[in-house]
């Protein structure tokens, strides 16, 4: 068994040719032939952003309502076909792959059913693109506080199914904690209606938590009730240099306490990242010359008039607060240097440096990208160990990383000197060995899908795996919901 | 089937006399005879705060470690005896009752294993009393933000098993969202180690969510990793009068936006509550004369120097901020009157009015107390309907309520003129009918236990109940973990 399992098929259930025809006819009768895509018509749905995976479904179907999703799931059950939900296809772990299964796209479930501003919530369907929800909330002076690069294509269904992370988890919590209610089509085609608007509800098990982050292996999320928060009316943004990651964490705690919890983002970019950014995008101005070892993008967000009402000289009080706190920390040596954005353009530049990480990372190949999380105070150790281990495995290899530092979420990427599956496995093993030794996780925010199934088998506590298998068997006894994903086969 | 099921036995498995002796001998050999309590020695463990329930366990055992809990669970399995975990016995729904089962007290698992201030977390065992954790966190300038009246006796195990609520959920989230990691002894005696310190971890299903709020029906929580937050260094507290609940909610949203989310608590006390408070505790000074219809206890908490550093005249900037916002809202008519605490003693008085709610409520009998939640904008409708419905059912009946308004969590209590089970059921049915019609929940923060099992059967979506039963059967196939609680029997 190798760790690079890009070619592993999802163990779907391909039907015989005549059985396939019967299935397709039934589906067409249920949702209309125009929404049952086969052959070349599927091409817009079968690839993903990584380019590593290509699905080969029996069909891609586009039901137009929860009830139609339920009918299609029942049909698939009757025909014994596996079901793979797909939404914005911005996932990075092959979670929407299939060989022979039926791909259910939620793209037509695209209504924002309601934005209830007074109650600070929205009812949205699974096919709503994240940035559309951002816009709808903003129209009411509110914000759905989940923010990451792929927001222009990721859909709510996938966002919830993968418990997607991003840059604002630090302030507003995980996707899981932003979800009040959920609507799910179960493996037998029944609709589980958990569309609660309640902030407290202890009437039995919190079932929605099972489906959030389950990557479609327990059911298909068709709609959700999500929390909204007051949209920050102003931001203060800075790029800082710190002497060490330990100092950066102390700095974060100080910033949180001294601003009263206004920190929206705290993103780490080490010198190796800034070097690569300069190579790939020399047009992007660097923050510090000479370059600094530990660069932090910090952003405060505020709604209070005392923070956001411009002073007579046109200055923003929130920026003044940030300057004041940083000045004190510079005096103490916690901050070595700082660049504070004084215009929206400067703020955008700071974010661009960070959000170019995908472009910067994927510009060099071959690469081995990871998405790990660590106890906050162990990140420095992890990076130090990898700086020693990687050259042992491949003397010419280079690496870079970026991190959502406040969440302990590190995206470490190695660039080996050759495209060698054995080397790939050795590097991933070294990363995961060290993460495990430091009580971290081999999957922080991207999920498991296909690509980390073997890591699940090797790294996850066997008792936890057993409990997951028991839950999976209880909810999907025929194993037809996104089979082969998340949970590795026994033994 | 009646709704008042105080007398329903938990369907445990009483053993024959000789089998019992064998079990007790095995337990004594495992954890020491001094920790296997029977007969009169159990009396300190078999009652609860409500006085409505008395457990009749085969024994109360006090294992001293997770491993001992696991061994005892294995022994119970071998002897075919049901297991009921018990911690601080401050629950209100009979969750720790049993007839013949083995009661496992976690009181000796009482170590705070570690408080890690830099990472803002604590590792605690299930028997740690909530207020002890508060003190340990405070020693580091931190706060475990779960706060309710019974904090001096409630233990972490019970707090997590019931997903307990309280007054700070509004700012810091539910118990569920404060938990990073969990250690659980499963029905077969295996230890599920989920003691993660991670803020992001998408390596498979988030299993800890299944055990939080499951009231011991899926396993026994023995330890947890919990988040800590910076301890507010100052509070600004006020009691307000608003014209209506709708105005109170607008006021809450304004306060959140204009203080930048500093609202720690937002508690509702209507005039009927203030009247009863005056009757029961005439020594407690009332905030307004004449009394007001809608009274709100609001508290801001702050850590930032600009909020907490006393001005030259000795005034607290945070109090100034609260005064300023309230003054603007008084001018607009959103606030009718306000009393702002200027000393810690005045603050304590404001909290005392609210925290006397248990004493005030239970001073009159018979009573029918409820713990429901509603969409925020529906609370007013609910109370209006009950004001009409209650006298229809019992012309002389009175009622009162208090509410964690920001969470939509209402504690409505009716005082019927007679102690009549049929009337009890009729009132509870009326409350739950109206709650259901308004898309609320019959159990907000107290849980289900025994007392709301029939409500689960009548009110919970049948598909959701089926899924819960499937999960229960998957994790506890012999039905020995706190049997008869939470999940009603089929049919």
């Amino acid at each position: 068994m190798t760790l690079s399992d890009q070619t592993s098929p999802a163990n779907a259930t391909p039907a015989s040719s005549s059985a396939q025809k019967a299935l397709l006819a039934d589906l067409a009768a249920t949702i209309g032939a125009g929404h049952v895509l086969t052959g070349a018509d599927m091409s817009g749905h079968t690839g993903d952003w990584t380019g590593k995976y290509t699905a080969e479904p029996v069909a891609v179907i586009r039901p137009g309502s929860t009830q139609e999703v339920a009918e299609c799931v029942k049909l698939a059950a009757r025909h014994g076909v596996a079901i793979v939900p797909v939404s914005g296809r911005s996932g990075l772990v092959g979670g929407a792959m299939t060989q022979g299964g039926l791909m259910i796209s939620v793209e037509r479930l695209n209504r924002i059913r309601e934005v209830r501003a007074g109650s600070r919530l929205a009812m949205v369907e699974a096919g709503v693109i994240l940035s559309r929800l951002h816009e709808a909330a903003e129209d009411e002076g509110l914000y759905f506080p989940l923010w990451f690069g792929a927001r222009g294509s990721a859909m709510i269904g996938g966002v919830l199914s993968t418990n997607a992370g991003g840059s604002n988890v630090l302030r507003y919590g995980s996707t899981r904690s932003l979800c009040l209610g959920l609507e799910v089509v179960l493996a037998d085609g029944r609709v589980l209606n958990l569309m609660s608007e309640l902030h407290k509800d202890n009437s039995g098990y919190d079932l929605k938590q099972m489906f959030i982050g389950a990557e479609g292996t327990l059911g298909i999320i068709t709609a959700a009730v999500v929390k909204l928060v007051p949209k920050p009316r102003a931001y203060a943004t800075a790029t800082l240099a710190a002497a060490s990651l330990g100092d950066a964490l102390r700095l974060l705690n100080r910033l949180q306490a001294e601003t009263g919890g206004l920190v929206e983002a705290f993103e780490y970019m080490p010198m190796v990242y800034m070097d690569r950014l300069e190579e790939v995008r020399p047009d992007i101005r660097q923050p510090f010359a000479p370059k600094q070892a530990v660069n932090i993008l910090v952003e405060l967000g505020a709604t209070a008039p005392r923070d956001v009402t411009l002073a007579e000289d046109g200055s923003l009080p929130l920026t003044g607060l940030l300057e004041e706190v940083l000045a004190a920390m510079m005096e103490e040596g916690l901050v070595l240097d700082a660049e504070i954005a004084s215009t929206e353009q400067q703020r955008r530049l700071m974010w661009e440096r960070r959000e170019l990480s995908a472009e910067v990372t994927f510009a060099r190949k071959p690469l081995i990208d990871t998405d790990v999380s660590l106890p906050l105070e162990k990140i420095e150790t992890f990076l130090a160990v990898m700086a020693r281990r990687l050259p042992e495995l491949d003397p010419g290899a280079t690496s870079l990383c970026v991190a959502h530092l406040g969440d302990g979420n590190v995206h470490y990427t190695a660039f080996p000197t050759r495209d060698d599956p054995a080397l790939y496995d050795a590097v991933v093993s070294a990363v995961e060995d060290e993460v495990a030794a430091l009580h971290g996780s081999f999957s922080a925010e991207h999920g498991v899908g296909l690509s980390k199934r073997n890591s699940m088998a090797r790294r996850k506590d066997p008792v936890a795996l057993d409990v997951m298998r028991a839950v999976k068997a209880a909810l999907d006894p025929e194993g037809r919901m996104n089979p082969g994903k998340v949970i590795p086969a026994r033994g």
Side-chain angles (χ1 to χ4, degrees), chain A:
Chain A
M1 185 189 284
T2 87
L3 282 166
S4 52
D5 60 350
Q6 288 92 326
T7 57
S8 310
N11 48 347
T13 314
S16 73
S17 171
S18 66
Q20 268 190 27
K21 271 190 194 153
L23 168 66
L24 298 179
D26 281 352
L27 289 167
T30 304
I31 61 171
H35 297 302
V36 179
L37 311 182
T38 57
D41 292 342
M42 302 192 291
S43 63
H45 291 81
T46 51
D48 71 8
W49 190 89
T50 67
K52 287 199 287 192
Y53 304 97
T54 306
E56 295 177 19
V58 58
V60 175
I61 61 170
R62 299 183 302 196
S65 66
T66 301
Q67 208 40 57
E68 284 192 2
V69 173
E71 293 304 318
C72 292
V73 168
K74 282 181 194 161
L75 278 177
R78 203 173 309 148
H79 289 268
V81 174
I83 289 164
V84 179
V86 60
S87 55
R89 292 176 304 111
S90 56
L92 298 170
V93 292
M97 288 304 102
T98 178
Q99 308 280 324
L102 179 66
M103 219 164 186
I104 300 192
S105 168
V106 296
E107 68 198 81
R108 289 176 64 220
L109 308 181
N110 61 3
R111 282 189 313 140
I112 296 176
R113 291 182 188 167
E114 200 173 349
V115 174
R116 205 171 293 165
S119 300
R120 304 255 194 267
L121 57 85
M123 277 104 158
V124 290
E125 295 181 349
V128 170
I129 290 173
L130 180 54
S131 58
R132 260 192 67 216
L133 176 55
H134 286 151
E135 287 158 19
E138 197 162 355
D139 288 346
E140 305 284 346
L142 299 173
Y143 175 43
F144 178 58
L146 181 69
W147 189 262
F148 52 77
R151 59 192 173 272
S153 49
M155 294 175 185
I156 296 300
V159 158
L160 286 163
S161 289
T162 58
N163 187 33
S167 304
N168 283 164
V169 172
L170 180 63
R171 178 154 189 188
Y172 301 103
S174 64
T175 300
R176 183 180 297 287
S177 69
L178 297 174
C179 181
L180 294 175
L182 212 61
E183 183 187 80
V184 181
V185 174
L186 300 173
D188 61 6
R190 286 188 298 174
V191 177
L192 177 61
N193 184 344
L194 306 169
M195 288 292 277
S196 162
E197 303 160 41
L198 305 174
H199 293 264
K200 284 184 181 171
D201 183 3
N202 275 346
S203 58
Y205 309 154
D206 189 359
L207 296 178
K208 67 176 180 292
Q209 302 295 345
M210 296 172 50
F211 301 95
I212 298 170
E215 303 185 27
T217 60
L218 300 177
I220 302 177
I221 294 174
T222 50
V225 183
V226 296
K227 289 186 207 173
L228 305 175
V229 299
K231 168 85 180 155
R233 291 164 59 203
Y235 295 98
T237 312
T239 305
L240 319 173
S244 67
L245 275 177
D247 274 4
L249 281 177
R250 278 183 282 278
L251 203 156
L252 171 59
N253 285 340
R254 284 279 294 277
L255 267 171
Q256 292 285 33
E258 298 195 7
T259 65
L262 298 183
V263 182
E264 299 265 319
F266 198 79
E267 300 288 313
Y268 169 57
M269 295 165 284
M271 191 190 288
V272 283
Y273 176 78
M274 302 312 285
D275 285 341
R276 277 295 288 157
L277 175 64
E278 190 166 45
E279 282 172 49
V280 177
R281 291 291 298 267
D283 57 309
I284 300 289
R285 184 175 62 70
Q286 289 279 322
F288 306 117
K291 290 205 187 76
Q292 295 275 0
V294 176
N295 305 274
I296 304 285
L297 166 62
V298 62
E299 182 157 279
L300 308 182
T303 59
R306 62 175 177 169
D307 291 321
V308 306
T309 309
L310 294 184
E312 276 181 18
D313 64 359
S315 67
L316 181 70
L318 188 67
T319 304
L321 174 65
L322 180 59
E323 278 168 350
E324 196 181 303
V325 178
L326 292 181
M329 292 197 273
M330 266 177 104
E331 217 151 281
E332 296 171 40
L334 265 184
V335 172
L336 302 180
D337 203 350
E339 179 189 69
I340 297 181
S342 56
T343 65
E344 176 62 21
Q345 197 181 1
Q346 289 174 6
R347 173 180 176 239
R348 275 204 299 267
L349 168 64
M350 291 186 185
W351 272 106
E352 203 175 0
R353 289 180 192 133
R354 173 61 183 86
E355 293 201 324
L356 280 168
S357 65
E359 185 178 328
V360 168
T361 301
F362 286 87
R364 182 180 292 176
K365 282 176 182 156
L367 86 167
I368 303 166
D369 57 323
T370 68
D371 161 45
V372 303
S373 60
L374 291 150
L376 299 182
E377 73 280 12
K378 301 287 172 61
I379 296 171
E380 197 151 29
T381 307
F382 168 74
L383 294 174
V385 170
M386 286 313 300
R388 183 170 51 74
R389 289 285 289 132
L390 183 62
E392 286 170 11
L393 297 167
D394 180 4
T398 58
S399 70
L400 62 74
C401 87
V402 288
H404 307 295
L405 196 61
D407 310 316
N409 181 184
V410 179
H411 297 297
Y412 171 86
T413 305
F415 302 97
T417 56
R418 58 189 193 278
D419 196 358
D420 170 355
L423 179 58
Y424 180 101
D425 290 355
V427 172
V428 171
S429 279
V431 168
E432 293 189 352
D433 283 347
E434 192 51 29
V435 165
L438 297 169
H439 303 289
S441 170
F442 56 85
S443 177
E445 62 176 5
H446 296 167
V448 175
L450 272 185
S451 73
K452 290 183 186 161
R453 225 178 10 156
N454 290 339
S455 303
M456 283 287 283
R458 293 166 51 138
R459 305 290 176 181
K460 200 76 191 175
D461 174 53
V463 181
L465 276 180
D466 269 5
V467 175
M468 290 184 202
R469 288 191 184 106
V471 170
K472 168 78 174 169
L475 267 73
D476 179 24
E478 295 171 16
R480 286 184 312 91
M481 304 307 281
N482 209 1
K485 312 297 162 45
V486 183
I487 297 182
R490 211 179 281 271

